[in-house]
Coordinates of all heavy atoms in Angstrom, one line a residue:
M1 N 0.8 -1.2 0.0 CA 0.0 0.0 0.0 C 0.9 1.2 0.0 O 1.6 1.4 0.9 CB -0.9 0.0 1.2 CG -1.9 -1.1 1.2 SD -3.0 -1.2 2.6 CE -2.3 -2.6 3.4
G2 N 0.8 2.0 -1.0 CA 1.6 3.1 -1.2 C 1.2 4.3 -0.5 O 0.1 4.4 0.1
S3 N 2.0 5.3 -0.4 CA 1.6 6.6 0.3 C 0.9 7.5 -0.6 O 0.2 8.4 -0.1 CB 2.9 7.2 0.8 OG 3.8 7.5 -0.2
G4 N 1.0 7.4 -1.9 CA 0.3 8.2 -2.9 C -1.0 7.7 -3.2 O -1.4 6.5 -2.9
L5 N -1.8 8.5 -3.8 CA -3.2 8.1 -4.3 C -3.1 7.2 -5.5 O -2.4 7.5 -6.5 CB -4.0 9.3 -4.6 CG -5.4 9.1 -5.1 CD1 -6.2 8.6 -3.9 CD2 -6.0 10.4 -5.6
E6 N -3.6 6.0 -5.4 CA -3.6 5.1 -6.5 C -5.1 4.9 -6.9 O -6.0 4.9 -6.1 CB -3.0 3.8 -6.1 CG -1.5 3.9 -5.8 CD -0.9 2.5 -5.6 OE1 -1.0 1.7 -6.5 OE2 -0.2 2.4 -4.6
S7 N -5.3 4.6 -8.2 CA -6.7 4.4 -8.6 C -6.7 3.2 -9.5 O -5.7 2.8 -10.1 CB -7.3 5.6 -9.3 OG -6.5 5.9 -10.5
A8 N -7.9 2.6 -9.6 CA -8.0 1.4 -10.5 C -8.9 1.7 -11.7 O -9.8 2.4 -11.6 CB -8.7 0.3 -9.6
S9 N -8.5 1.1 -12.8 CA -9.3 1.1 -14.0 C -9.5 -0.4 -14.4 O -8.5 -1.0 -14.8 CB -8.6 1.9 -15.0 OG -9.4 1.8 -16.2
V10 N -10.7 -0.9 -14.3 CA -10.9 -2.3 -14.6 C -11.7 -2.3 -15.9 O -12.8 -1.7 -16.0 CB -11.7 -3.0 -13.5 CG1 -12.0 -4.4 -13.8 CG2 -10.8 -2.9 -12.2
D11 N -11.3 -3.1 -16.9 CA -12.0 -3.2 -18.1 C -12.4 -4.6 -18.4 O -12.2 -5.1 -19.5 CB -11.0 -2.7 -19.3 CG -11.8 -2.2 -20.5 OD1 -13.0 -2.0 -20.4 OD2 -11.2 -2.1 -21.6
R12 N -12.9 -5.3 -17.3 CA -13.3 -6.7 -17.5 C -14.6 -6.8 -16.8 O -14.9 -6.2 -15.8 CB -12.3 -7.6 -16.7 CG -10.9 -7.5 -17.2 CD -10.1 -8.4 -16.3 NE -9.5 -7.6 -15.3 CZ -8.4 -7.9 -14.6 NH1 -7.9 -9.1 -14.8 NH2 -7.8 -7.1 -13.8
P13 N -15.5 -7.7 -17.3 CA -16.7 -8.0 -16.6 C -16.5 -8.7 -15.3 O -15.6 -9.5 -15.2 CB -17.5 -8.8 -17.6 CG -16.5 -9.4 -18.5 CD -15.3 -8.5 -18.5
A14 N -17.2 -8.3 -14.3 CA -17.0 -8.9 -13.0 C -18.2 -9.8 -12.6 O -18.3 -10.3 -11.5 CB -16.8 -7.8 -11.9
G15 N -19.2 -9.9 -13.5 CA -20.4 -10.6 -13.1 C -21.4 -9.7 -12.7 O -21.3 -8.5 -12.9
S16 N -22.5 -10.1 -12.1 CA -23.6 -9.3 -11.6 C -23.1 -8.3 -10.5 O -22.4 -8.8 -9.6 CB -24.7 -10.1 -11.1 OG -25.7 -9.3 -10.5
I17 N -23.4 -7.1 -10.7 CA -23.0 -6.1 -9.6 C -23.9 -6.1 -8.5 O -23.6 -5.7 -7.4 CB -22.8 -4.7 -10.2 CG1 -24.1 -4.1 -10.8 CG2 -21.7 -4.6 -11.1 CD1 -24.1 -2.7 -11.1
G18 N -25.1 -6.7 -8.7 CA -26.1 -6.8 -7.6 C -26.9 -5.5 -7.4 O -26.6 -4.5 -8.0
G19 N -27.8 -5.6 -6.5 CA -28.6 -4.5 -6.1 C -27.8 -3.5 -5.2 O -26.7 -3.8 -4.8
P20 N -28.5 -2.4 -4.8 CA -27.8 -1.4 -4.0 C -27.2 -2.0 -2.7 O -26.1 -1.6 -2.3 CB -28.9 -0.4 -3.7 CG -29.9 -0.6 -4.8 CD -29.8 -2.0 -5.2
R21 N -27.9 -2.9 -2.0 CA -27.4 -3.4 -0.7 C -26.2 -4.2 -1.0 O -25.2 -4.1 -0.3 CB -28.5 -4.3 -0.1 CG -28.0 -4.9 1.2 CD -29.2 -5.7 1.9 NE -28.7 -6.6 2.9 CZ -28.4 -6.3 4.1 NH1 -28.5 -5.1 4.5 NH2 -28.0 -7.2 5.0
K22 N -26.2 -5.1 -2.1 CA -25.0 -5.9 -2.4 C -23.8 -5.0 -2.7 O -22.7 -5.3 -2.3 CB -25.4 -6.8 -3.5 CG -24.4 -8.0 -3.7 CD -24.4 -8.9 -2.4 CE -23.6 -10.1 -2.6 NZ -23.3 -10.8 -1.4
V23 N -24.1 -4.0 -3.5 CA -23.0 -3.1 -3.9 C -22.4 -2.4 -2.7 O -21.2 -2.3 -2.5 CB -23.5 -2.0 -4.9 CG1 -22.4 -0.9 -5.1 CG2 -23.8 -2.7 -6.2
Q24 N -23.3 -2.0 -1.7 CA -22.8 -1.3 -0.5 C -22.0 -2.3 0.3 O -20.9 -1.9 0.9 CB -24.0 -0.9 0.3 CG -23.7 -0.1 1.6 CD -24.9 0.3 2.3 OE1 -26.0 -0.3 2.2 NE2 -24.8 1.4 3.1
Q25 N -22.4 -3.6 0.4 CA -21.6 -4.5 1.1 C -20.2 -4.8 0.5 O -19.2 -4.9 1.2 CB -22.3 -5.9 1.2 CG -23.5 -5.8 2.1 CD -24.4 -7.1 2.1 OE1 -24.4 -7.8 1.0 NE2 -25.0 -7.4 3.1
R26 N -20.2 -4.8 -0.9 CA -18.9 -5.0 -1.6 C -18.0 -3.8 -1.4 O -16.8 -4.0 -1.3 CB -19.2 -5.3 -3.0 CG -19.8 -6.7 -3.2 CD -20.1 -7.0 -4.6 NE -20.7 -8.4 -4.6 CZ -21.5 -8.8 -5.6 NH1 -21.8 -8.0 -6.6 NH2 -22.0 -10.0 -5.6
V27 N -18.5 -2.6 -1.4 CA -17.7 -1.4 -1.2 C -17.2 -1.4 0.2 O -16.0 -1.1 0.4 CB -18.5 -0.1 -1.5 CG1 -17.8 1.1 -1.0 CG2 -18.8 0.0 -3.0
A28 N -18.0 -1.8 1.2 CA -17.5 -1.9 2.6 C -16.4 -3.0 2.7 O -15.4 -2.8 3.4 CB -18.7 -2.3 3.5
L29 N -16.5 -4.1 2.0 CA -15.5 -5.1 2.0 C -14.2 -4.5 1.4 O -13.1 -4.7 2.0 CB -15.9 -6.3 1.1 CG -15.1 -7.6 1.1 CD1 -16.0 -8.8 0.9 CD2 -14.0 -7.5 0.1
L30 N -14.2 -3.8 0.3 CA -13.1 -3.2 -0.3 C -12.4 -2.2 0.6 O -11.2 -2.2 0.8 CB -13.4 -2.6 -1.7 CG -13.8 -3.5 -2.8 CD1 -14.4 -2.7 -4.0 CD2 -12.5 -4.2 -3.3
S31 N -13.2 -1.4 1.2 CA -12.8 -0.4 2.2 C -12.0 -1.1 3.4 O -11.0 -0.6 3.8 CB -13.9 0.5 2.7 OG -13.5 1.4 3.5
E32 N -12.6 -2.1 3.9 CA -12.0 -2.8 5.0 C -10.7 -3.4 4.6 O -9.7 -3.4 5.4 CB -13.0 -3.9 5.5 CG -12.5 -4.7 6.7 CD -12.4 -3.8 8.0 OE1 -13.1 -2.8 8.1 OE2 -11.5 -4.1 8.9
L33 N -10.6 -4.0 3.4 CA -9.3 -4.6 3.0 C -8.3 -3.5 2.7 O -7.1 -3.8 2.7 CB -9.5 -5.4 1.7 CG -10.2 -6.8 2.0 CD1 -10.4 -7.5 0.7 CD2 -9.3 -7.6 2.9
R34 N -8.7 -2.3 2.4 CA -7.8 -1.2 2.2 C -7.2 -0.8 3.5 O -6.0 -0.5 3.6 CB -8.5 0.0 1.6 CG -7.6 1.2 1.3 CD -6.6 0.9 0.3 NE -5.8 2.1 0.1 CZ -4.4 2.1 0.2 NH1 -3.8 1.0 0.6 NH2 -3.7 3.2 0.0
K35 N -8.0 -0.9 4.6 CA -7.5 -0.5 5.9 C -6.6 -1.6 6.5 O -5.6 -1.3 7.1 CB -8.6 -0.3 6.9 CG -9.5 0.9 6.6 CD -10.6 1.0 7.6 CE -11.9 1.3 7.0 NZ -13.0 1.2 7.9
K36 N -7.0 -2.9 6.3 CA -6.3 -4.0 6.9 C -6.4 -5.3 6.1 O -7.5 -5.6 5.7 CB -6.8 -4.2 8.4 CG -6.1 -5.3 9.1 CD -6.6 -5.5 10.5 CE -5.9 -6.6 11.2 NZ -6.5 -6.9 12.5
R37 N -5.3 -5.9 5.8 CA -5.3 -7.2 5.1 C -6.2 -8.2 5.8 O -6.3 -8.2 7.0 CB -3.9 -7.7 4.9 CG -3.1 -6.9 4.0 CD -1.7 -7.5 3.9 NE -0.8 -6.7 3.1 CZ -0.3 -7.0 2.0 NH1 -0.6 -8.2 1.5 NH2 0.4 -6.2 1.3
A38 N -6.6 -9.2 5.0 CA -7.3 -10.3 5.6 C -6.6 -11.6 5.3 O -6.4 -11.9 4.1 CB -8.8 -10.4 5.0
G39 N -6.1 -12.2 6.3 CA -5.4 -13.5 6.1 C -6.4 -14.6 5.9 O -6.1 -15.6 5.2
K40 N -7.6 -14.5 6.6 CA -8.6 -15.6 6.5 C -9.9 -15.0 6.2 O -10.3 -13.9 6.8 CB -8.6 -16.4 7.8 CG -7.4 -17.1 8.1 CD -7.5 -17.9 9.4 CE -6.2 -18.6 9.7 NZ -6.2 -19.3 11.0
V41 N -10.7 -15.6 5.4 CA -12.1 -15.2 5.1 C -12.9 -15.1 6.4 O -13.7 -14.1 6.6 CB -12.8 -16.1 4.1 CG1 -14.2 -15.7 3.8 CG2 -12.0 -16.1 2.8
A42 N -12.7 -16.0 7.3 CA -13.5 -16.0 8.5 C -13.2 -14.7 9.3 O -14.2 -14.1 9.9 CB -13.2 -17.2 9.4
D43 N -12.0 -14.3 9.4 CA -11.6 -13.1 10.1 C -12.3 -11.8 9.5 O -12.8 -11.0 10.2 CB -10.1 -12.9 10.2 CG -9.4 -13.9 11.0 OD1 -10.1 -14.6 11.8 OD2 -8.2 -14.2 10.7
L44 N -12.3 -11.8 8.1 CA -12.9 -10.7 7.4 C -14.4 -10.7 7.6 O -15.0 -9.6 7.8 CB -12.5 -10.8 5.9 CG -13.0 -9.6 5.0 CD1 -12.5 -8.3 5.5 CD2 -12.6 -9.9 3.6
A45 N -15.0 -11.9 7.5 CA -16.5 -12.0 7.7 C -16.8 -11.5 9.1 O -17.8 -10.7 9.3 CB -16.9 -13.4 7.5
R46 N -16.0 -11.8 10.1 CA -16.3 -11.4 11.5 C -16.2 -9.9 11.6 O -17.0 -9.2 12.2 CB -15.3 -12.1 12.4 CG -15.8 -12.2 13.8 CD -14.9 -13.1 14.7 NE -13.6 -13.6 14.2 CZ -13.5 -14.8 13.7 NH1 -14.5 -15.6 13.6 NH2 -12.3 -15.2 13.2
R47 N -15.1 -9.3 11.0 CA -14.9 -7.8 11.0 C -16.1 -7.1 10.4 O -16.5 -6.0 10.8 CB -13.6 -7.5 10.3 CG -12.4 -7.8 11.2 CD -11.0 -7.5 10.6 NE -10.9 -6.9 9.3 CZ -9.9 -7.1 8.5 NH1 -9.0 -8.1 8.8 NH2 -9.8 -6.5 7.4
L48 N -16.6 -7.7 9.3 CA -17.7 -7.0 8.5 C -19.1 -7.4 9.1 O -20.1 -6.9 8.6 CB -17.6 -7.4 7.1 CG -16.4 -6.9 6.3 CD1 -16.3 -7.6 5.0 CD2 -16.5 -5.4 6.1
R49 N -19.1 -8.4 10.0 CA -20.4 -8.9 10.6 C -21.3 -9.4 9.5 O -22.5 -9.1 9.4 CB -21.1 -7.8 11.4 CG -20.3 -7.3 12.6 CD -21.1 -6.2 13.3 NE -20.2 -5.4 14.1 CZ -20.0 -5.6 15.4 NH1 -20.5 -6.7 16.0 NH2 -19.2 -4.8 16.1
R50 N -20.7 -10.2 8.6 CA -21.4 -10.9 7.5 C -21.1 -12.4 7.5 O -20.2 -12.9 8.1 CB -20.9 -10.3 6.2 CG -21.3 -8.8 5.9 CD -20.9 -8.3 4.6 NE -21.4 -9.2 3.5 CZ -20.8 -9.3 2.3 NH1 -19.8 -8.5 2.0 NH2 -21.3 -10.1 1.4
N51 N -22.0 -13.0 6.8 CA -21.9 -14.5 6.6 C -20.6 -14.9 5.8 O -20.3 -14.2 4.8 CB -23.2 -14.9 5.8 CG -23.1 -16.4 5.4 OD1 -22.5 -16.7 4.4 ND2 -23.8 -17.2 6.2
Y52 N -20.0 -15.9 6.3 CA -18.7 -16.4 5.7 C -18.9 -16.6 4.2 O -18.1 -16.2 3.4 CB -18.3 -17.7 6.4 CG -17.0 -18.3 5.7 CD1 -15.8 -18.1 6.3 CD2 -17.2 -19.2 4.6 CE1 -14.7 -18.7 5.7 CE2 -16.0 -19.8 4.1 CZ -14.8 -19.5 4.6 OH -13.7 -20.1 4.0
K53 N -19.9 -17.4 3.8 CA -20.0 -17.8 2.4 C -20.2 -16.5 1.5 O -19.7 -16.4 0.4 CB -21.2 -18.7 2.2 CG -21.4 -19.2 0.7 CD -22.6 -20.0 0.5 CE -22.7 -20.5 -0.9 NZ -22.3 -19.6 -2.0
N54 N -21.0 -15.6 1.9 CA -21.3 -14.4 1.2 C -20.0 -13.5 1.0 O -19.7 -13.0 -0.1 CB -22.4 -13.5 1.8 CG -23.7 -14.2 1.7 OD1 -24.0 -15.0 0.8 ND2 -24.6 -13.8 2.6
V55 N -19.2 -13.5 2.1 CA -17.9 -12.7 2.0 C -17.0 -13.5 1.0 O -16.3 -12.9 0.2 CB -17.3 -12.6 3.4 CG1 -15.9 -12.0 3.3 CG2 -18.1 -11.6 4.2
H56 N -16.9 -14.8 1.2 CA -16.1 -15.6 0.3 C -16.5 -15.4 -1.2 O -15.6 -15.1 -2.1 CB -16.2 -17.1 0.6 CG -15.4 -18.0 -0.3 ND1 -15.9 -18.5 -1.5 CD2 -14.2 -18.4 -0.2 CE1 -15.0 -19.2 -2.1 NE2 -13.9 -19.2 -1.3
D57 N -17.8 -15.4 -1.5 CA -18.2 -15.2 -2.9 C -17.9 -13.8 -3.4 O -17.5 -13.7 -4.5 CB -19.8 -15.4 -2.9 CG -20.1 -16.9 -2.7 OD1 -19.3 -17.8 -2.8 OD2 -21.4 -17.1 -2.5
D58 N -18.1 -12.8 -2.5 CA -17.8 -11.4 -2.9 C -16.3 -11.3 -3.2 O -15.8 -10.6 -4.1 CB -18.2 -10.4 -1.9 CG -19.7 -10.2 -1.9 OD1 -20.4 -10.7 -2.9 OD2 -20.3 -9.5 -1.0
L59 N -15.4 -11.9 -2.3 CA -14.0 -11.9 -2.5 C -13.6 -12.4 -3.9 O -12.8 -11.9 -4.6 CB -13.3 -12.6 -1.4 CG -13.0 -11.9 -0.1 CD1 -12.6 -12.9 1.0 CD2 -12.1 -10.8 -0.2
Q60 N -14.2 -13.6 -4.2 CA -13.9 -14.2 -5.5 C -14.3 -13.3 -6.7 O -13.5 -13.2 -7.6 CB -14.6 -15.6 -5.6 CG -14.1 -16.6 -4.6 CD -12.6 -16.8 -4.6 OE1 -12.0 -17.0 -5.6 NE2 -12.0 -16.6 -3.4
L61 N -15.5 -12.7 -6.6 CA -15.9 -11.9 -7.7 C -15.0 -10.6 -7.8 O -14.6 -10.3 -8.9 CB -17.4 -11.4 -7.4 CG -18.0 -10.5 -8.4 CD1 -19.4 -11.0 -8.8 CD2 -18.0 -9.1 -8.0
L62 N -14.6 -10.0 -6.7 CA -13.8 -8.8 -6.7 C -12.4 -9.2 -7.1 O -11.7 -8.3 -7.8 CB -13.9 -8.1 -5.4 CG -15.2 -7.5 -5.0 CD1 -15.3 -7.2 -3.5 CD2 -15.6 -6.4 -5.9
K63 N -11.9 -10.4 -6.8 CA -10.6 -10.8 -7.3 C -10.6 -10.9 -8.8 O -9.7 -10.5 -9.5 CB -10.2 -12.1 -6.7 CG -9.6 -12.0 -5.3 CD -9.2 -13.4 -4.8 CE -9.0 -13.4 -3.3 NZ -8.8 -14.7 -2.8
R64 N -11.7 -11.6 -9.4 CA -11.8 -11.8 -10.8 C -11.9 -10.4 -11.5 O -11.4 -10.3 -12.6 CB -13.1 -12.6 -11.2 CG -12.9 -14.1 -10.9 CD -14.0 -14.9 -11.5 NE -15.4 -14.4 -11.2 CZ -16.1 -14.8 -10.2 NH1 -15.6 -15.7 -9.3 NH2 -17.3 -14.3 -10.0
A65 N -12.4 -9.4 -10.8 CA -12.5 -8.1 -11.4 C -11.2 -7.3 -11.3 O -11.1 -6.3 -11.9 CB -13.6 -7.3 -10.7
G66 N -10.3 -7.9 -10.6 CA -9.0 -7.2 -10.5 C -8.9 -6.2 -9.4 O -7.9 -5.4 -9.4
L67 N -9.9 -6.1 -8.5 CA -9.9 -5.1 -7.5 C -9.3 -5.5 -6.2 O -8.9 -4.7 -5.3 CB -11.4 -4.7 -7.2 CG -12.1 -4.0 -8.4 CD1 -13.5 -3.8 -8.1 CD2 -11.4 -2.8 -8.8
I68 N -9.1 -6.8 -6.0 CA -8.5 -7.4 -4.8 C -7.3 -8.2 -5.2 O -7.3 -8.9 -6.2 CB -9.5 -8.3 -4.0 CG1 -10.6 -7.4 -3.4 CG2 -8.7 -9.0 -2.9 CD1 -11.6 -8.2 -2.7
E69 N -6.2 -8.0 -4.5 CA -5.0 -8.8 -4.8 C -4.7 -9.7 -3.5 O -5.2 -9.4 -2.5 CB -3.8 -7.9 -5.0 CG -4.0 -7.0 -6.3 CD -2.9 -6.1 -6.6 OE1 -1.7 -6.5 -6.4 OE2 -3.1 -4.9 -6.9
E70 N -3.8 -10.6 -3.7 CA -3.5 -11.5 -2.6 C -2.0 -11.9 -2.7 O -1.5 -12.1 -3.7 CB -4.4 -12.8 -2.7 CG -4.4 -13.6 -1.4 CD -5.6 -14.6 -1.4 OE1 -6.2 -14.8 -2.5 OE2 -5.9 -15.1 -0.3
D71 N -1.4 -12.0 -1.5 CA 0.0 -12.5 -1.4 C 0.0 -13.4 -0.2 O -1.0 -13.7 0.4 CB 1.0 -11.3 -1.4 CG 0.8 -10.4 -0.2 OD1 0.2 -10.8 0.8 OD2 1.4 -9.3 -0.2
E72 N 1.2 -13.7 0.2 CA 1.4 -14.6 1.4 C 0.8 -14.1 2.7 O 0.6 -14.8 3.6 CB 2.9 -15.0 1.6 CG 3.8 -13.9 1.9 CD 4.2 -13.1 0.7 OE1 4.0 -13.5 -0.4 OE2 4.8 -12.0 1.0
Q73 N 0.6 -12.8 2.8 CA 0.1 -12.2 4.0 C -1.4 -12.0 3.9 O -2.1 -11.6 4.9 CB 0.7 -10.8 4.2 CG 2.2 -10.9 4.5 CD 2.8 -9.5 4.6 OE1 2.2 -8.5 4.6 NE2 4.1 -9.5 4.7
G74 N -2.1 -12.3 2.8 CA -3.5 -12.3 2.7 C -4.0 -11.4 1.6 O -3.2 -10.8 0.8
A75 N -5.3 -11.2 1.6 CA -6.0 -10.3 0.6 C -5.8 -8.9 0.9 O -5.9 -8.5 2.1 CB -7.4 -10.7 0.4
F76 N -5.7 -8.0 -0.1 CA -5.6 -6.6 0.2 C -6.1 -5.8 -1.0 O -6.2 -6.3 -2.1 CB -4.2 -6.2 0.5 CG -3.2 -6.4 -0.6 CD1 -2.8 -5.3 -1.4 CD2 -2.6 -7.6 -0.8 CE1 -1.9 -5.5 -2.4 CE2 -1.7 -7.8 -1.8 CZ -1.3 -6.7 -2.6
V77 N -6.3 -4.5 -0.8 CA -6.7 -3.6 -1.9 C -5.6 -2.5 -1.9 O -5.3 -1.9 -0.8 CB -8.1 -2.9 -1.6 CG1 -8.4 -1.8 -2.6 CG2 -9.2 -4.0 -1.7
R78 N -5.0 -2.2 -3.0 CA -4.0 -1.2 -3.1 C -4.5 0.2 -3.4 O -3.8 1.1 -3.4 CB -2.9 -1.7 -4.0 CG -3.2 -1.6 -5.5 CD -2.1 -1.8 -6.4 NE -1.5 -3.1 -6.3 CZ -0.2 -3.3 -5.9 NH1 0.6 -2.3 -5.6 NH2 0.3 -4.5 -5.7
Y79 N -5.8 0.3 -3.8 CA -6.3 1.5 -4.3 C -6.9 2.4 -3.3 O -7.6 1.9 -2.4 CB -7.3 1.3 -5.4 CG -6.8 0.3 -6.5 CD1 -7.2 -1.0 -6.6 CD2 -5.8 0.7 -7.4 CE1 -6.7 -1.9 -7.5 CE2 -5.3 -0.1 -8.3 CZ -5.7 -1.4 -8.4 OH -5.2 -2.3 -9.3
D80 N -6.8 3.7 -3.4 CA -7.5 4.6 -2.5 C -8.9 5.0 -3.1 O -9.8 5.5 -2.4 CB -6.7 5.9 -2.4 CG -5.4 5.7 -1.6 OD1 -5.4 5.0 -0.6 OD2 -4.4 6.1 -2.1
K81 N -9.0 4.9 -4.4 CA -10.2 5.3 -5.1 C -10.4 4.4 -6.3 O -9.5 4.0 -7.0 CB -10.1 6.7 -5.6 CG -11.3 7.3 -6.3 CD -11.0 8.7 -6.8 CE -11.0 9.7 -5.6 NZ -11.0 11.1 -6.1
I82 N -11.7 4.0 -6.5 CA -12.1 3.2 -7.7 C -13.2 3.9 -8.4 O -14.2 4.2 -7.8 CB -12.5 1.7 -7.2 CG1 -11.4 1.0 -6.5 CG2 -13.0 0.9 -8.4 CD1 -11.8 -0.3 -5.8
R83 N -13.0 4.1 -9.7 CA -14.1 4.7 -10.5 C -14.7 3.6 -11.3 O -14.0 2.8 -11.9 CB -13.5 5.7 -11.4 CG -13.2 7.0 -10.6 CD -13.0 8.1 -11.6 NE -12.9 9.3 -10.8 CZ -12.4 10.4 -11.2 NH1 -11.9 10.5 -12.4 NH2 -12.4 11.5 -10.4
A84 N -16.0 3.6 -11.4 CA -16.7 2.6 -12.3 C -17.4 3.3 -13.4 O -18.0 4.4 -13.3 CB -17.7 1.9 -11.4
E85 N -17.3 2.7 -14.6 CA -18.0 3.2 -15.7 C -18.8 2.0 -16.2 O -18.3 0.9 -16.5 CB -17.0 3.6 -16.8 CG -17.8 4.1 -18.1 CD -16.8 4.6 -19.1 OE1 -15.9 5.4 -18.7 OE2 -16.9 4.3 -20.2
I86 N -20.1 2.2 -16.3 CA -21.0 1.1 -16.6 C -21.7 1.4 -17.9 O -22.4 2.4 -18.1 CB -22.1 0.9 -15.5 CG1 -21.4 0.6 -14.2 CG2 -23.1 -0.2 -15.9 CD1 -22.3 0.6 -13.0
D87 N -21.5 0.6 -18.9 CA -22.1 0.8 -20.3 C -23.5 0.1 -20.3 O -23.6 -1.1 -20.3 CB -21.2 0.1 -21.3 CG -21.7 0.4 -22.7 OD1 -22.7 1.0 -22.9 OD2 -21.0 -0.1 -23.7
L88 N -24.5 1.0 -20.2 CA -25.8 0.5 -20.2 C -26.4 0.1 -21.6 O -27.4 -0.6 -21.7 CB -26.8 1.6 -19.6 CG -26.4 2.0 -18.2 CD1 -27.3 3.2 -17.8 CD2 -26.5 0.9 -17.2
A89 N -25.6 0.4 -22.6 CA -26.0 0.1 -24.0 C -25.6 -1.3 -24.4 O -26.0 -1.8 -25.4 CB -25.5 1.1 -25.0
A90 N -24.7 -1.9 -23.6 CA -24.1 -3.2 -23.9 C -25.1 -4.4 -23.8 O -26.1 -4.3 -23.1 CB -22.9 -3.5 -23.0

């Protein structure tokens, strides 16, 4: 995690973005991983007060989208800001 502002530009489909509640949960997950790495899904689910399976599924989706990275110390987000562009004509 760098000291400067980093941003993400993702040009890949990530699957269903879900409704407003699901999007809010995924943004909270990304924000939590920006603050502190997660070595285990169970620890992250506990921190977010969410179901293990739902957190696991969201982690997988966000990894496929390129928004979450993982190394030997666990999952993390390197970005301070993420901008989304959604093509409604597709």
Side-chain angles (χ1 to χ4, degrees):
M1 292 181 255
S3 59
L5 181 69
E6 295 189 52
S7 62
S9 175
V10 178
D11 201 17
R12 304 175 257 203
S16 171
I17 60 172
R21 179 176 163 84
K22 196 64 174 166
V23 171
Q24 184 179 27
Q25 290 174 330
R26 290 175 180 157
V27 169
L29 187 152
L30 290 167
S31 181
E32 184 65 26
L33 285 177
R34 179 66 179 121
K35 290 182 226 167
K36 183 178 178 189
R37 289 176 186 251
K40 297 181 181 178
V41 176
D43 294 338
L44 181 59
R46 204 172 6 265
R47 287 180 0 215
L48 293 168
R49 300 178 198 270
R50 290 185 55 204
N51 173 278
Y52 175 96
K53 182 183 180 328
N54 293 336
V55 171
H56 177 271
D57 291 348
D58 285 350
L59 278 169
Q60 296 307 308
L61 182 134
L62 294 167
K63 282 181 194 174
R64 284 193 309 272
L67 298 174
I68 293 176
E69 298 180 42
E70 197 165 14
D71 63 16
E72 64 279 347
Q73 296 174 8
F76 65 97
V77 172
R78 74 171 60 243
Y79 310 108
D80 296 313
K81 183 183 285 190
I82 299 171
R83 287 195 167 158
E85 182 175 310
I86 301 169
D87 185 357
L88 300 175

